């Protein structure tokens, strides 16, 4: 099982980026999918999560600017980031709690991270 993230890059303040993360492998079901980020010298923090039925929650710092969505057919989660600020600069990691065909319980899996840099 793996999560492959893409879509990071360099953008000016006020700009937009869209991150994608596709899960693949021996997947039986995916429960929660989400995005976390880690800025230099800081702890990893939750950005947004989304349930299979579409219920989402966001960190206060990104509410109204970021939108999380998922495609349950493609096993993919997206993060649309608008009105980006320099303080959004971080490595963004996707994560998902999944059950595989070889296990009867959820485990959390992480993607490799993608760099988002917002210049002022």
């Amino acid at each position: 099982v793996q999560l492959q993230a893409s879509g990071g890059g360099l953008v000016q303040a006020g700009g937009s980026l869209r991150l994608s993360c596709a899960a693949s492998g021996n997947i039986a079901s995916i429960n929660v999918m989400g995005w976390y980020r880690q800025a230099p010298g800081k702890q990893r923090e939750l950005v947004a999560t989304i349930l299979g039925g579409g219920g989402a929650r966001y960190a206060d710092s990104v509410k109204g600017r970021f939108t999380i969505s998922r495609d349950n057919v493609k096993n993919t989660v997206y993060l649309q980031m608008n009105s980006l600020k320099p303080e959004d600069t971080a490595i963004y990691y996707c994560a998902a709690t999944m059950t595989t065909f070889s296990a009867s319980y959820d485990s959390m899996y992480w993607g490799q991270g993608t760099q988002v840099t917002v210049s002022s």
Side-chain angles (χ1 to χ4, degrees):
V1 174
Q2 66 175 356
L3 293 168
Q4 184 69 44
S6 61
L10 173 64
V11 65
Q12 288 188 331
S16 298
L17 282 174
R18 188 188 192 213
L19 305 182
S20 300
C21 178
S24 62
N26 191 32
I27 300 169
S29 63
I30 302 177
N31 186 3
V32 184
M33 303 188 83
W35 292 93
Y36 294 73
R37 67 186 181 187
Q38 186 167 18
K42 294 187 177 181
Q43 290 188 331
R44 190 173 299 189
E45 63 175 0
L46 171 72
V47 176
T49 60
I50 186 168
L51 301 176
R57 64 184 182 107
Y58 298 89
D60 288 342
S61 59
V62 306
K63 282 181 181 176
R65 300 188 298 121
F66 291 10
T67 302
I68 190 170
S69 60
R70 64 189 278 176
D71 183 327
N72 292 327
V73 175
K74 295 181 178 179
N75 289 340
T76 299
V77 61
Y78 306 95
L79 186 68
Q80 178 66 43
M81 305 185 292
N82 298 328
S83 301
L84 282 160
K85 304 175 181 180
E87 50 263 44
D88 294 318
T89 295
I91 300 174
Y92 283 70
Y93 298 90
C94 61
T97 53
M98 298 185 281
T99 300
T100 66
F101 289 109
S102 56
S104 59
Y105 50 86
D106 272 358
S107 294
M108 192 167 187
Y109 296 84
W110 292 89
Q112 83 283 11
T114 184
Q115 177 71 47
V116 172
T117 303
V118 184
S119 62
S120 58

mmCIF file of all heavy atoms in Angstrom, residues 42-88:
data_model
loop_
_atom_site.group_PDB
_atom_site.id
_atom_site.type_symbol
_atom_site.label_atom_id
_atom_site.label_comp_id
_atom_site.label_asym_id
_atom_site.label_seq_id
_atom_site.Cartn_x
_atom_site.Cartn_y
_atom_site.Cartn_z
ATOM 1 N N LYS A 42 9.058 23.304 13.069
ATOM 2 C CA LYS A 42 7.757 23.160 13.730
ATOM 3 C C LYS A 42 7.293 21.716 13.673
ATOM 4 O O LYS A 42 7.774 20.915 12.872
ATOM 5 C CB LYS A 42 6.725 24.072 13.071
ATOM 6 C CG LYS A 42 7.010 25.548 13.245
ATOM 7 C CD LYS A 42 5.848 26.392 12.710
ATOM 8 C CE LYS A 42 6.086 27.873 12.933
ATOM 9 N NZ LYS A 42 4.954 28.700 12.441
ATOM 10 N N GLN A 43 6.327 21.396 14.520
ATOM 11 C CA GLN A 43 5.755 20.063 14.519
ATOM 12 C C GLN A 43 4.775 19.908 13.359
ATOM 13 O O GLN A 43 4.213 20.892 12.862
ATOM 14 C CB GLN A 43 5.033 19.803 15.838
ATOM 15 C CG GLN A 43 5.974 19.660 17.033
ATOM 16 C CD GLN A 43 5.229 19.212 18.284
ATOM 17 O OE1 GLN A 43 4.058 19.491 18.459
ATOM 18 N NE2 GLN A 43 5.924 18.490 19.145
ATOM 19 N N ARG A 44 4.592 18.660 12.971
ATOM 20 C CA ARG A 44 3.602 18.380 11.938
ATOM 21 C C ARG A 44 2.218 18.708 12.490
ATOM 22 O O ARG A 44 1.898 18.394 13.629
ATOM 23 C CB ARG A 44 3.684 16.913 11.520
ATOM 24 C CG ARG A 44 2.864 16.567 10.304
ATOM 25 C CD ARG A 44 3.115 15.147 9.845
ATOM 26 N NE ARG A 44 4.512 14.939 9.465
ATOM 27 C CZ ARG A 44 4.966 13.840 8.875
ATOM 28 N NH1 ARG A 44 4.117 12.845 8.588
ATOM 29 N NH2 ARG A 44 6.242 13.715 8.580
ATOM 30 N N GLU A 45 1.396 19.345 11.641
ATOM 31 C CA GLU A 45 0.061 19.744 12.083
ATOM 32 C C GLU A 45 -0.990 19.313 11.063
ATOM 33 O O GLU A 45 -0.721 19.200 9.869
ATOM 34 C CB GLU A 45 -0.016 21.268 12.275
ATOM 35 C CG GLU A 45 0.200 22.082 11.018
ATOM 36 C CD GLU A 45 -0.007 23.579 11.238
ATOM 37 O OE1 GLU A 45 -0.319 23.990 12.360
ATOM 38 O OE2 GLU A 45 0.146 24.327 10.255
ATOM 39 N N LEU A 46 -2.185 19.111 11.586
ATOM 40 C CA LEU A 46 -3.311 18.759 10.735
ATOM 41 C C LEU A 46 -3.730 19.963 9.897
ATOM 42 O O LEU A 46 -3.837 21.074 10.415
ATOM 43 C CB LEU A 46 -4.490 18.310 11.597
ATOM 44 C CG LEU A 46 -5.824 18.094 10.892
ATOM 45 C CD1 LEU A 46 -5.760 16.834 10.044
ATOM 46 C CD2 LEU A 46 -6.961 18.002 11.903
ATOM 47 N N VAL A 47 -3.979 19.717 8.609
ATOM 48 C CA VAL A 47 -4.512 20.764 7.734
ATOM 49 C C VAL A 47 -6.001 20.520 7.502
ATOM 50 O O VAL A 47 -6.835 21.397 7.732
ATOM 51 C CB VAL A 47 -3.770 20.806 6.392
ATOM 52 C CG1 VAL A 47 -4.409 21.832 5.457
ATOM 53 C CG2 VAL A 47 -2.287 21.109 6.607
ATOM 54 N N ALA A 48 -6.332 19.326 7.023
ATOM 55 C CA ALA A 48 -7.728 18.995 6.739
ATOM 56 C C ALA A 48 -7.878 17.490 6.617
ATOM 57 O O ALA A 48 -6.940 16.797 6.217
ATOM 58 C CB ALA A 48 -8.191 19.662 5.444
ATOM 59 N N THR A 49 -9.056 17.002 6.989
ATOM 60 C CA THR A 49 -9.383 15.590 6.809
ATOM 61 C C THR A 49 -10.773 15.463 6.209
ATOM 62 O O THR A 49 -11.599 16.382 6.325
ATOM 63 C CB THR A 49 -9.337 14.814 8.136
ATOM 64 O OG1 THR A 49 -10.285 15.389 9.045
ATOM 65 C CG2 THR A 49 -7.960 14.824 8.744
ATOM 66 N N ILE A 50 -11.009 14.321 5.586
ATOM 67 C CA ILE A 50 -12.308 14.086 4.963
ATOM 68 C C ILE A 50 -12.672 12.622 5.105
ATOM 69 O O ILE A 50 -11.846 11.729 4.906
ATOM 70 C CB ILE A 50 -12.303 14.525 3.480
ATOM 71 C CG1 ILE A 50 -13.698 14.403 2.879
ATOM 72 C CG2 ILE A 50 -11.257 13.769 2.669
ATOM 73 C CD1 ILE A 50 -13.835 15.097 1.522
ATOM 74 N N LEU A 51 -13.929 12.366 5.474
ATOM 75 C CA LEU A 51 -14.448 11.016 5.596
ATOM 76 C C LEU A 51 -14.916 10.502 4.235
ATOM 77 O O LEU A 51 -15.085 11.275 3.291
ATOM 78 C CB LEU A 51 -15.604 11.000 6.589
ATOM 79 C CG LEU A 51 -15.291 11.480 8.005
ATOM 80 C CD1 LEU A 51 -16.563 11.489 8.839
ATOM 81 C CD2 LEU A 51 -14.236 10.604 8.642
ATOM 82 N N GLY A 52 -15.183 9.210 4.179
ATOM 83 C CA GLY A 52 -15.648 8.638 2.923
ATOM 84 C C GLY A 52 -16.952 9.240 2.428
ATOM 85 O O GLY A 52 -17.163 9.373 1.219
ATOM 86 N N GLY A 53 -17.806 9.656 3.361
ATOM 87 C CA GLY A 53 -19.074 10.258 2.982
ATOM 88 C C GLY A 53 -18.976 11.735 2.658
ATOM 89 O O GLY A 53 -19.972 12.354 2.270
ATOM 90 N N GLY A 54 -17.787 12.311 2.828
ATOM 91 C CA GLY A 54 -17.566 13.697 2.438
ATOM 92 C C GLY A 54 -17.454 14.691 3.576
ATOM 93 O O GLY A 54 -17.135 15.860 3.342
ATOM 94 N N GLY A 55 -17.720 14.249 4.806
ATOM 95 C CA GLY A 55 -17.597 15.177 5.929
ATOM 96 C C GLY A 55 -16.157 15.611 6.109
ATOM 97 O O GLY A 55 -15.250 14.784 6.154
ATOM 98 N N ALA A 56 -15.933 16.907 6.213
ATOM 99 C CA ALA A 56 -14.577 17.442 6.281
ATOM 100 C C ALA A 56 -14.390 18.333 7.488
ATOM 101 O O ALA A 56 -15.359 18.911 8.004
ATOM 102 C CB ALA A 56 -14.253 18.238 5.009
ATOM 103 N N ARG A 57 -13.161 18.423 7.933
ATOM 104 C CA ARG A 57 -12.817 19.407 8.959
ATOM 105 C C ARG A 57 -11.472 20.017 8.615
ATOM 106 O O ARG A 57 -10.653 19.404 7.930
ATOM 107 C CB ARG A 57 -12.804 18.793 10.349
ATOM 108 C CG ARG A 57 -11.758 17.716 10.607
ATOM 109 C CD ARG A 57 -11.938 17.140 12.001
ATOM 110 N NE ARG A 57 -10.934 16.141 12.326
ATOM 111 C CZ ARG A 57 -9.932 16.349 13.181
ATOM 112 N NH1 ARG A 57 -9.796 17.519 13.785
ATOM 113 N NH2 ARG A 57 -9.073 15.393 13.450
ATOM 114 N N TYR A 58 -11.295 21.235 9.098
ATOM 115 C CA TYR A 58 -10.125 22.018 8.724
ATOM 116 C C TYR A 58 -9.464 22.648 9.947
ATOM 117 O O TYR A 58 -10.125 22.955 10.935
ATOM 118 C CB TYR A 58 -10.543 23.161 7.780
ATOM 119 C CG TYR A 58 -11.138 22.713 6.475
ATOM 120 C CD1 TYR A 58 -12.504 22.500 6.353
ATOM 121 C CD2 TYR A 58 -10.338 22.510 5.358
ATOM 122 C CE1 TYR A 58 -13.063 22.086 5.152
ATOM 123 C CE2 TYR A 58 -10.881 22.108 4.148
ATOM 124 C CZ TYR A 58 -12.245 21.898 4.050
ATOM 125 O OH TYR A 58 -12.783 21.495 2.855
ATOM 126 N N ALA A 59 -8.185 22.878 9.826
ATOM 127 C CA ALA A 59 -7.495 23.694 10.814
ATOM 128 C C ALA A 59 -8.019 25.127 10.693
ATOM 129 O O ALA A 59 -8.349 25.584 9.590
ATOM 130 C CB ALA A 59 -5.988 23.674 10.561
ATOM 131 N N ASP A 60 -8.094 25.824 11.815
ATOM 132 C CA ASP A 60 -8.615 27.196 11.788
ATOM 133 C C ASP A 60 -7.814 28.081 10.839
ATOM 134 O O ASP A 60 -8.365 28.984 10.205
ATOM 135 C CB ASP A 60 -8.578 27.791 13.195
ATOM 136 C CG ASP A 60 -9.627 27.187 14.109
ATOM 137 O OD1 ASP A 60 -10.587 26.572 13.598
ATOM 138 O OD2 ASP A 60 -9.488 27.327 15.338
ATOM 139 N N SER A 61 -6.529 27.817 10.728
ATOM 140 C CA SER A 61 -5.656 28.675 9.924
ATOM 141 C C SER A 61 -5.933 28.586 8.423
ATOM 142 O O SER A 61 -5.491 29.458 7.666
ATOM 143 C CB SER A 61 -4.194 28.327 10.193
ATOM 144 O OG SER A 61 -3.943 26.974 9.887
ATOM 145 N N VAL A 62 -6.650 27.550 7.983
ATOM 146 C CA VAL A 62 -6.890 27.387 6.540
ATOM 147 C C VAL A 62 -8.368 27.456 6.178
ATOM 148 O O VAL A 62 -8.713 27.418 4.997
ATOM 149 C CB VAL A 62 -6.290 26.063 6.018
ATOM 150 C CG1 VAL A 62 -4.821 25.953 6.388
ATOM 151 C CG2 VAL A 62 -7.066 24.854 6.507
ATOM 152 N N LYS A 63 -9.238 27.561 7.172
ATOM 153 C CA LYS A 63 -10.677 27.625 6.887
ATOM 154 C C LYS A 63 -10.992 28.787 5.964
ATOM 155 O O LYS A 63 -10.504 29.896 6.154
ATOM 156 C CB LYS A 63 -11.463 27.764 8.193
ATOM 157 C CG LYS A 63 -11.616 26.472 8.971
ATOM 158 C CD LYS A 63 -12.421 26.698 10.247
ATOM 159 C CE LYS A 63 -12.554 25.413 11.046
ATOM 160 N NZ LYS A 63 -13.261 25.632 12.335
ATOM 161 N N GLY A 64 -11.822 28.497 4.958
ATOM 162 C CA GLY A 64 -12.205 29.529 4.010
ATOM 163 C C GLY A 64 -11.235 29.713 2.862
ATOM 164 O O GLY A 64 -11.552 30.403 1.885
ATOM 165 N N ARG A 65 -10.056 29.111 2.981
ATOM 166 C CA ARG A 65 -9.054 29.229 1.904
ATOM 167 C C ARG A 65 -8.745 27.879 1.245
ATOM 168 O O ARG A 65 -8.490 27.833 0.039
ATOM 169 C CB ARG A 65 -7.753 29.810 2.471
ATOM 170 C CG ARG A 65 -7.904 31.186 3.085
ATOM 171 C CD ARG A 65 -6.547 31.782 3.452
ATOM 172 N NE ARG A 65 -5.834 30.993 4.455
ATOM 173 C CZ ARG A 65 -4.630 30.455 4.260
ATOM 174 N NH1 ARG A 65 -4.001 30.611 3.113
ATOM 175 N NH2 ARG A 65 -4.041 29.761 5.226
ATOM 176 N N PHE A 66 -8.764 26.824 2.022
ATOM 177 C CA PHE A 66 -8.445 25.487 1.514
ATOM 178 C C PHE A 66 -9.727 24.657 1.441
ATOM 179 O O PHE A 66 -10.615 24.795 2.285
ATOM 180 C CB PHE A 66 -7.462 24.782 2.429
ATOM 181 C CG PHE A 66 -6.068 25.342 2.447
ATOM 182 C CD1 PHE A 66 -5.764 26.560 1.840
ATOM 183 C CD2 PHE A 66 -5.050 24.653 3.075
ATOM 184 C CE1 PHE A 66 -4.478 27.073 1.870
ATOM 185 C CE2 PHE A 66 -3.758 25.142 3.114
ATOM 186 C CZ PHE A 66 -3.475 26.364 2.508
ATOM 187 N N THR A 67 -9.773 23.773 0.457
ATOM 188 C CA THR A 67 -10.895 22.849 0.318
ATOM 189 C C THR A 67 -10.357 21.450 0.063
ATOM 190 O O THR A 67 -9.576 21.238 -0.874
ATOM 191 C CB THR A 67 -11.819 23.257 -0.836
ATOM 192 O OG1 THR A 67 -12.313 24.581 -0.620
ATOM 193 C CG2 THR A 67 -13.004 22.296 -0.931
ATOM 194 N N ILE A 68 -10.783 20.515 0.901
ATOM 195 C CA ILE A 68 -10.391 19.118 0.720
ATOM 196 C C ILE A 68 -11.531 18.374 0.041
ATOM 197 O O ILE A 68 -12.710 18.641 0.306
ATOM 198 C CB ILE A 68 -10.012 18.462 2.063
ATOM 199 C CG1 ILE A 68 -9.372 17.092 1.838
ATOM 200 C CG2 ILE A 68 -11.209 18.379 2.995
ATOM 201 C CD1 ILE A 68 -8.758 16.488 3.101
ATOM 202 N N SER A 69 -11.179 17.451 -0.848
ATOM 203 C CA SER A 69 -12.183 16.633 -1.520
ATOM 204 C C SER A 69 -11.563 15.277 -1.812
ATOM 205 O O SER A 69 -10.340 15.109 -1.698
ATOM 206 C CB SER A 69 -12.674 17.296 -2.808
ATOM 207 O OG SER A 69 -11.592 17.490 -3.714
ATOM 208 N N ARG A 70 -12.389 14.321 -2.177
ATOM 209 C CA ARG A 70 -11.858 12.996 -2.492
ATOM 210 C C ARG A 70 -12.694 12.341 -3.566
ATOM 211 O O ARG A 70 -13.889 12.632 -3.712
ATOM 212 C CB ARG A 70 -11.769 12.113 -1.244
ATOM 213 C CG ARG A 70 -13.076 11.780 -0.596
ATOM 214 C CD ARG A 70 -12.868 11.085 0.757
ATOM 215 N NE ARG A 70 -12.617 9.657 0.632
ATOM 216 C CZ ARG A 70 -12.341 8.864 1.663
ATOM 217 N NH1 ARG A 70 -12.276 9.365 2.890
ATOM 218 N NH2 ARG A 70 -12.128 7.567 1.477
ATOM 219 N N ASP A 71 -12.047 11.463 -4.293
ATOM 220 C CA ASP A 71 -12.698 10.647 -5.314
ATOM 221 C C ASP A 71 -12.568 9.206 -4.846
ATOM 222 O O ASP A 71 -11.469 8.636 -4.880
ATOM 223 C CB ASP A 71 -12.008 10.861 -6.672
ATOM 224 C CG ASP A 71 -12.685 10.109 -7.799
ATOM 225 O OD1 ASP A 71 -13.222 9.010 -7.558
ATOM 226 O OD2 ASP A 71 -12.658 10.606 -8.931
ATOM 227 N N ASN A 72 -13.669 8.637 -4.383
ATOM 228 C CA ASN A 72 -13.618 7.294 -3.802
ATOM 229 C C ASN A 72 -13.402 6.209 -4.855
ATOM 230 O O ASN A 72 -12.999 5.098 -4.509
ATOM 231 C CB ASN A 72 -14.894 7.015 -3.014
ATOM 232 C CG ASN A 72 -14.992 7.872 -1.767
ATOM 233 O OD1 ASN A 72 -13.980 8.202 -1.151
ATOM 234 N ND2 ASN A 72 -16.201 8.243 -1.396
ATOM 235 N N VAL A 73 -13.668 6.497 -6.091
ATOM 236 C CA VAL A 73 -13.413 5.533 -7.166
ATOM 237 C C VAL A 73 -11.917 5.481 -7.474
ATOM 238 O O VAL A 73 -11.335 4.412 -7.650
ATOM 239 C CB VAL A 73 -14.212 5.891 -8.427
ATOM 240 C CG1 VAL A 73 -13.844 4.965 -9.581
ATOM 241 C CG2 VAL A 73 -15.711 5.810 -8.138
ATOM 242 N N LYS A 74 -11.304 6.645 -7.498
ATOM 243 C CA LYS A 74 -9.873 6.735 -7.806
ATOM 244 C C LYS A 74 -9.001 6.618 -6.557
ATOM 245 O O LYS A 74 -7.768 6.642 -6.661
ATOM 246 C CB LYS A 74 -9.574 8.058 -8.508
ATOM 247 C CG LYS A 74 -10.233 8.197 -9.871
ATOM 248 C CD LYS A 74 -9.856 9.526 -10.511
ATOM 249 C CE LYS A 74 -10.479 9.651 -11.892
ATOM 250 N NZ LYS A 74 -10.136 10.957 -12.535
ATOM 251 N N ASN A 75 -9.616 6.507 -5.382
ATOM 252 C CA ASN A 75 -8.854 6.452 -4.113
ATOM 253 C C ASN A 75 -7.894 7.631 -4.002
ATOM 254 O O ASN A 75 -6.727 7.476 -3.625
ATOM 255 C CB ASN A 75 -8.076 5.134 -3.991
ATOM 256 C CG ASN A 75 -8.977 3.948 -3.749
ATOM 257 O OD1 ASN A 75 -10.121 4.097 -3.312
ATOM 258 N ND2 ASN A 75 -8.481 2.759 -4.041
ATOM 259 N N THR A 76 -8.397 8.795 -4.333
ATOM 260 C CA THR A 76 -7.563 9.991 -4.389
ATOM 261 C C THR A 76 -8.169 11.103 -3.543
ATOM 262 O O THR A 76 -9.382 11.296 -3.548
ATOM 263 C CB THR A 76 -7.400 10.468 -5.841
ATOM 264 O OG1 THR A 76 -6.765 9.428 -6.605
ATOM 265 C CG2 THR A 76 -6.543 11.720 -5.921
ATOM 266 N N VAL A 77 -7.292 11.818 -2.853
ATOM 267 C CA VAL A 77 -7.710 12.980 -2.075
ATOM 268 C C VAL A 77 -7.020 14.210 -2.655
ATOM 269 O O VAL A 77 -5.884 14.134 -3.124
ATOM 270 C CB VAL A 77 -7.376 12.802 -0.577
ATOM 271 C CG1 VAL A 77 -5.884 12.649 -0.338
ATOM 272 C CG2 VAL A 77 -7.963 13.927 0.256
ATOM 273 N N TYR A 78 -7.736 15.318 -2.632
ATOM 274 C CA TYR A 78 -7.239 16.565 -3.196
ATOM 275 C C TYR A 78 -7.254 17.654 -2.125
ATOM 276 O O TYR A 78 -8.049 17.617 -1.185
ATOM 277 C CB TYR A 78 -8.109 17.016 -4.364
ATOM 278 C CG TYR A 78 -8.286 15.987 -5.450
ATOM 279 C CD1 TYR A 78 -9.402 15.150 -5.453
ATOM 280 C CD2 TYR A 78 -7.340 15.828 -6.453
ATOM 281 C CE1 TYR A 78 -9.578 14.191 -6.438
ATOM 282 C CE2 TYR A 78 -7.506 14.866 -7.443
ATOM 283 C CZ TYR A 78 -8.626 14.057 -7.433
ATOM 284 O OH TYR A 78 -8.782 13.111 -8.416
ATOM 285 N N LEU A 79 -6.385 18.628 -2.304
ATOM 286 C CA LEU A 79 -6.410 19.805 -1.454
ATOM 287 C C LEU A 79 -6.263 21.026 -2.352
ATOM 288 O O LEU A 79 -5.183 21.262 -2.912
ATOM 289 C CB LEU A 79 -5.291 19.775 -0.409
ATOM 290 C CG LEU A 79 -5.334 20.910 0.609
ATOM 291 C CD1 LEU A 79 -6.564 20.753 1.522
ATOM 292 C CD2 LEU A 79 -4.068 20.945 1.458
ATOM 293 N N GLN A 80 -7.347 21.760 -2.520
ATOM 294 C CA GLN A 80 -7.310 23.008 -3.272
ATOM 295 C C GLN A 80 -6.946 24.126 -2.309
ATOM 296 O O GLN A 80 -7.663 24.363 -1.335
ATOM 297 C CB GLN A 80 -8.668 23.280 -3.911
ATOM 298 C CG GLN A 80 -8.736 24.596 -4.681
ATOM 299 C CD GLN A 80 -7.833 24.601 -5.902
ATOM 300 O OE1 GLN A 80 -7.775 23.632 -6.641
ATOM 301 N NE2 GLN A 80 -7.112 25.703 -6.099
ATOM 302 N N MET A 81 -5.839 24.783 -2.586
ATOM 303 C CA MET A 81 -5.342 25.831 -1.696
ATOM 304 C C MET A 81 -5.408 27.170 -2.425
ATOM 305 O O MET A 81 -4.723 27.360 -3.436
ATOM 306 C CB MET A 81 -3.908 25.521 -1.270
ATOM 307 C CG MET A 81 -3.749 24.153 -0.626
ATOM 308 S SD MET A 81 -2.093 23.856 -0.013
ATOM 309 C CE MET A 81 -1.184 23.776 -1.549
ATOM 310 N N ASN A 82 -6.230 28.069 -1.927
ATOM 311 C CA ASN A 82 -6.379 29.403 -2.498
ATOM 312 C C ASN A 82 -5.897 30.458 -1.509
ATOM 313 O O ASN A 82 -5.744 30.181 -0.315
ATOM 314 C CB ASN A 82 -7.839 29.661 -2.858
ATOM 315 C CG ASN A 82 -8.371 28.699 -3.896
ATOM 316 O OD1 ASN A 82 -7.643 28.231 -4.772
ATOM 317 N ND2 ASN A 82 -9.665 28.392 -3.803
ATOM 318 N N SER A 83 -5.680 31.649 -2.017
ATOM 319 C CA SER A 83 -5.247 32.770 -1.163
ATOM 320 C C SER A 83 -4.069 32.357 -0.275
ATOM 321 O O SER A 83 -4.056 32.612 0.932
ATOM 322 C CB SER A 83 -6.415 33.260 -0.293
ATOM 323 O OG SER A 83 -7.500 33.672 -1.100
ATOM 324 N N LEU A 84 -3.091 31.753 -0.884
ATOM 325 C CA LEU A 84 -1.955 31.236 -0.133
ATOM 326 C C LEU A 84 -1.149 32.356 0.512
ATOM 327 O O LEU A 84 -1.022 33.457 -0.044
ATOM 328 C CB LEU A 84 -1.064 30.386 -1.037
ATOM 329 C CG LEU A 84 -1.600 28.974 -1.302
ATOM 330 C CD1 LEU A 84 -0.963 28.370 -2.536
ATOM 331 C CD2 LEU A 84 -1.377 28.091 -0.091
ATOM 332 N N LYS A 85 -0.621 32.052 1.692
ATOM 333 C CA LYS A 85 0.167 33.008 2.468
ATOM 334 C C LYS A 85 1.566 32.434 2.687
ATOM 335 O O LYS A 85 1.743 31.215 2.677
ATOM 336 C CB LYS A 85 -0.495 33.249 3.824
ATOM 337 C CG LYS A 85 -1.930 33.715 3.759
ATOM 338 C CD LYS A 85 -2.531 33.813 5.151
ATOM 339 C CE LYS A 85 -3.987 34.256 5.109
ATOM 340 N NZ LYS A 85 -4.570 34.339 6.471
ATOM 341 N N PRO A 86 2.544 33.279 2.932
ATOM 342 C CA PRO A 86 3.900 32.769 3.210
ATOM 343 C C PRO A 86 3.921 31.769 4.364
ATOM 344 O O PRO A 86 4.722 30.822 4.348
ATOM 345 C CB PRO A 86 4.685 34.034 3.534
ATOM 346 C CG PRO A 86 4.002 35.102 2.746
ATOM 347 C CD PRO A 86 2.543 34.756 2.806
ATOM 348 N N GLU A 87 3.037 31.958 5.338
ATOM 349 C CA GLU A 87 3.014 31.035 6.481
ATOM 350 C C GLU A 87 2.437 29.662 6.127
ATOM 351 O O GLU A 87 2.453 28.756 6.960
ATOM 352 C CB GLU A 87 2.244 31.635 7.661
ATOM 353 C CG GLU A 87 0.872 32.174 7.314
ATOM 354 C CD GLU A 87 0.879 33.683 7.073
ATOM 355 O OE1 GLU A 87 1.819 34.173 6.381
ATOM 356 O OE2 GLU A 87 -0.059 34.364 7.548
ATOM 357 N N ASP A 88 1.943 29.497 4.922
ATOM 358 C CA ASP A 88 1.510 28.180 4.451
ATOM 359 C C ASP A 88 2.685 27.353 3.930
ATOM 360 O O ASP A 88 2.513 26.173 3.606
ATOM 361 C CB ASP A 88 0.466 28.320 3.332
ATOM 362 C CG ASP A 88 -0.841 28.935 3.808
ATOM 363 O OD1 ASP A 88 -1.302 28.564 4.903
ATOM 364 O OD2 ASP A 88 -1.390 29.774 3.070
#
